[in-house]
């Protein structure tokens, strides 16, 4: 498997007002946009053919990934050779294509636009507003899981808090280590009706998904939901939830994005240590 699809066609209403002008996928973790981290995760997982689904208002994402010879020449002239080469190398790691979703008709609709790109092969779906950090990239963990089970795999993690109600939650038939065979998925369950504590977190390996997307109707929020297609797939085929290792941040959510900013910054070689000292001092003043 070498293909990944990154849907970025949503409205980003939770991150207004900035998303009125800037796609949330381009919001930076300090100096690197979220989408660039996700592309790196895919490339580091052996998925170097990437399709990014954008909306007509998100052409800026295309711009970001465009090779910029003028910038390269300007940096070279300014003696910033290393930076110029870094930017060029970063872009050459993946073959990135784009398709436009003209209306935000839902995650399943966005995925359906990837059909020509993926053909009948299984592919990784990495939501454009979910950032993961782990020793083995999360997409790679799921590719390996797929290679073991040969059917759709959904990345899940235990969510102990009340915000589990914001996610699709795994309804598990049986468990073998990190592998959970699914009965179904319950989208945004109420706290008193949780089928498990395993929340679906924005990383999937999808196999045979289009036949199920073709069969679903408009669902929650007036959109075609990927969860509905996966629920249908669970009824006809085996689908697994795989408990991946690592940390995941909801970058479509303001607090989630702030947490990623702080935590990833604390690990930076260039200013992680001074930031730690600064935060310690700051906390004392509260
Ligand atoms: P979300 O539901 O988190 O994104 O979809 P959203 O709709 O942009 O967010 P809010 O709720 O309005 O703040 C998860 C991913 O699927 C993409 C989004 O861009 C996001 O990366 N998506 C969603 C699409 O590509 N198309 C859609 O029609 C909906």
């Amino acid at each position: 498997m070498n293909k990944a699809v990154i849907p970025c066609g949503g409205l980003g209403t939770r991150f207004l007002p900035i998303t009125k002008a800037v796609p949330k996928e381009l919001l930076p973790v300090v100096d690197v946009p979220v989408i660039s981290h996700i592309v790196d995760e895919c490339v580091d997982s052996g998925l170097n053919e990437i399709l990014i689904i954008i909306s007509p208002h998100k052409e800026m994402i295309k711009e970001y990934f465009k090779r910029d010879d003028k910038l390269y020449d300007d940096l070279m002239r300014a003696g910033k050779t290393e930076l110029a080469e870094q930017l060029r190398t970063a872009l050459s790691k993946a073959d990135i294509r784009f398709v436009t979703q003209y209306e935000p008709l839902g995650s399943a609709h966005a995925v359906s636009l990837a059909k020509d790109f993926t053909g009948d092969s299984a592919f990784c779906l990495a939501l454009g507003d979910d950032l993961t950090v782990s020793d083995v990239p999360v997409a790679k963990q799921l590719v390996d899981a797929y290679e073991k089970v040969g059917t759709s795999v959904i990345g899940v993690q235990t969510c102990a808090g009340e915000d589990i109600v914001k996610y699709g939650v795994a309804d598990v038939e049986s468990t073998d280590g990190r592998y959970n065979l699914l009965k179904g998925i319950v989208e945004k369950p109420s706290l008193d009706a949780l089928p498990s504590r395993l929340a679906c977190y924005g990383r999937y390996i999808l196999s045979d998904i289009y036949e199920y997307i073709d069969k679903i109707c408009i669902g929650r929020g007036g959109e075609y939901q990927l969860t509905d297609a996966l629920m249908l797939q669970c009824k006809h085929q085996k689908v697994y939830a795989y408990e991946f290792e690592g940390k995941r941040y909801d970058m479509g959510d303001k607090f989630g994005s702030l947490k990623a900013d702080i935590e990833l910054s604390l690990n930076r070689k260039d200013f992680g240590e001074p930031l730690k000292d600064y935060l310690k001092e700051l906390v004392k003043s509260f």
Side-chain angles (χ1 to χ4, degrees):
M1 186 186 319
N2 68 341
K3 288 187 177 166
V5 174
I6 308 178
C8 302
L11 291 175
T13 53
R14 284 171 296 152
F15 228 122
L16 280 166
I18 184 65
T19 43
K20 200 164 162 273
V22 182
K24 61 180 166 180
E25 296 81 4
L26 281 186
L27 294 177
V29 178
V30 189
D31 50 1
V32 180
V34 176
I35 183 86
S36 184
H37 282 287
I38 299 174
V39 165
D40 285 350
E41 178 191 335
C42 293
V43 171
D44 293 344
S45 303
L47 307 162
N48 58 357
E49 283 188 39
I50 297 174
L51 181 73
I52 300 180
I53 298 163
I54 57 170
S55 75
H57 310 292
K58 294 193 180 181
E59 288 286 320
M60 274 169 84
I61 297 178
K62 222 190 243 182
E63 283 298 310
Y64 177 80
F65 286 105
K66 219 186 216 159
R67 181 182 156 123
D68 189 339
D69 290 333
K70 163 114 180 32
L71 177 62
Y72 180 83
D73 292 343
D74 289 347
L75 287 171
M76 291 300 261
R77 250 196 311 277
K80 300 189 172 179
T81 323
E82 206 181 323
L83 190 54
E85 294 301 347
Q86 261 174 20
L87 290 175
R88 185 156 278 187
T89 318
L91 280 185
S92 64
K93 286 191 293 187
D95 169 6
I96 303 179
R97 291 170 233 179
F98 297 88
V99 69
T100 303
Q101 184 188 26
Y102 286 93
E103 296 287 339
L105 295 177
S107 49
H109 178 257
V111 172
S112 74
L113 301 176
K115 201 170 179 179
D116 286 346
F117 170 75
T118 63
D120 291 332
S121 308
F123 62 95
C124 172
L125 179 76
L127 297 190
D129 57 359
D130 270 33
L131 177 66
T132 66
V133 178
S134 52
D135 292 338
V136 178
V138 172
K140 172 77 174 113
Q141 295 178 45
L142 294 187
V143 168
D144 291 347
Y146 169 77
E147 268 156 20
K148 221 168 141 187
V149 296
T151 185
S152 287
V153 178
I154 304 171
V156 295
Q157 278 193 323
T158 297
C159 176
E162 293 197 352
D163 59 347
I164 191 164
V165 299
K166 297 195 294 193
Y167 300 100
V169 178
D171 189 1
V172 176
E173 168 97 45
S174 60
T175 300
D176 182 5
R178 292 180 175 273
Y179 294 80
N180 298 275
L181 180 61
L182 291 181
K183 266 193 273 193
I185 304 161
V186 181
E187 188 62 33
K188 298 186 172 43
S190 59
L191 272 180
D192 53 8
L194 293 176
S196 75
R197 278 277 170 187
L198 296 175
C200 303
Y201 277 165
R203 294 291 183 271
Y204 308 79
I205 303 298
L206 298 177
S207 159
D208 303 328
I209 195 67
Y210 300 115
E211 64 180 273
Y212 300 104
I213 290 180
D214 286 346
K215 289 186 183 128
I216 61 170
C217 304
I218 289 187
R220 193 180 41 80
E223 295 184 353
Y224 292 95
Q225 300 288 353
L226 181 63
T227 307
D228 291 342
L230 285 166
M231 284 204 295
L232 202 55
Q233 187 168 23
C234 288
K235 292 203 173 87
H236 293 87
Q237 275 178 268
K238 286 185 174 171
V239 175
Y240 287 87
Y242 180 81
E243 280 181 75
F244 64 83
E245 236 176 295
K247 195 122 200 218
R248 169 263 180 197
Y249 301 92
D250 180 358
M251 305 302 283
D253 171 76
K254 290 171 190 175
F255 191 47
S257 162
L258 196 57
K259 282 189 206 162
D261 247 349
I262 296 169
E263 290 181 31
L264 271 68
S265 297
L266 284 169
N267 286 327
R268 293 264 304 224
K269 285 200 183 77
D270 43 358
F271 52 76
E273 281 307 317
L275 176 66
K276 206 178 286 173
D277 295 340
Y278 168 73
L279 289 177
K280 277 185 196 154
E281 282 306 308
L282 190 68
V283 167
K284 276 189 211 158
S285 67
F286 281 98

